[in-house]
Amino acid sequence: MTTAAGARGAETLDVVVMSHRPEVREAVMAAVGRRPARDLPKLRFTEAAGIADVLGAADAGALDLAVLDGEAQPTGGMGVCRQLKNESDHPAPVIVVVRREDDRWLATWSQADAVLVQPLDPVTAARTVADVLRAGVPARQG
C-alpha cells in the first residue's frame, strides 16, 4: 500500500481545512504548520467554509488529507467525514477537530483516522498529521 506522502514523489500535499469559522481554520493551519515532519513534503492548505468545497476537492482527486471541524455549521465535520469514508472507493484520510475530550468517541464513530482536541497543541497537531499521512492510507486517485 502506498502512502499519500510517498505516492507521487509529491513536492506538496493538498490539505483541506474545513470550518465555517475562519479562526478555527487559521488555528489548525498555524498549529500544523507547512511541514509537520522533515520526512514529509510541504503542505498546501485550502480553506473550506462548508461541505461543498470538501466534496469538490475529494471528487476532483485533489485531496491528500482533510482536517474537519466537528462543530462546523450547518454540516459538521463528523458528518462530512462519514460521508467521505462511505461514498468514496479511495477516501483520503480525515482528522476531525473536536472541542471537548468527551467528543472523541463521536469523531471515532464518524470513521475519522485521527482526532484533535481544541485548544490545539502545535506539537500534537503536527505529529498527528504526520502520523496520519504516514499510516499507509491509499494515495489520492487520479
Side-chain angles (χ1 to χ4, degrees):
M1 185 176 292
T2 305
T3 64
R8 301 169 310 275
E11 291 182 24
T12 60
L13 296 173
D14 292 312
V15 179
V16 172
V17 179
M18 184 199 88
S19 178
H20 72 289
R21 296 175 37 206
E23 63 272 17
V24 171
R25 297 191 305 263
E26 290 169 12
V28 168
M29 293 182 295
V32 172
R34 294 239 326 124
R35 191 153 202 175
R38 287 186 297 218
D39 63 320
L40 294 174
K42 289 183 180 178
L43 305 181
R44 178 176 37 234
F45 291 107
T46 300
E47 295 185 54
I51 186 173
D53 296 329
V54 177
L55 296 180
D59 289 345
L63 182 60
D64 291 303
L65 173 68
V67 182
L68 310 174
D69 179 3
E71 311 253 338
Q73 300 287 326
T75 306
M78 291 180 229
V80 176
C81 177
R82 201 155 166 89
Q83 184 172 348
L84 287 170
K85 295 297 185 174
N86 290 322
E87 294 182 3
S88 174
D89 292 333
H90 305 285
V94 177
I95 297 173
V96 172
V97 179
V98 296
R99 290 199 186 144
R100 299 178 326 136
E101 184 72 34
D102 290 346
D103 289 337
R104 278 184 174 278
W105 74 270
L106 193 54
T108 301
W109 167 85
S110 75
Q111 302 174 8
D113 296 285
V115 181
L116 290 171
V117 180
Q118 294 180 0
L120 297 174
D121 170 60
V123 172
T124 301
R127 183 176 55 235
T128 300
V129 166
D131 289 348
V132 167
L133 288 170
R134 290 187 201 110
V137 177
R140 68 180 180 202
Q141 303 298 305

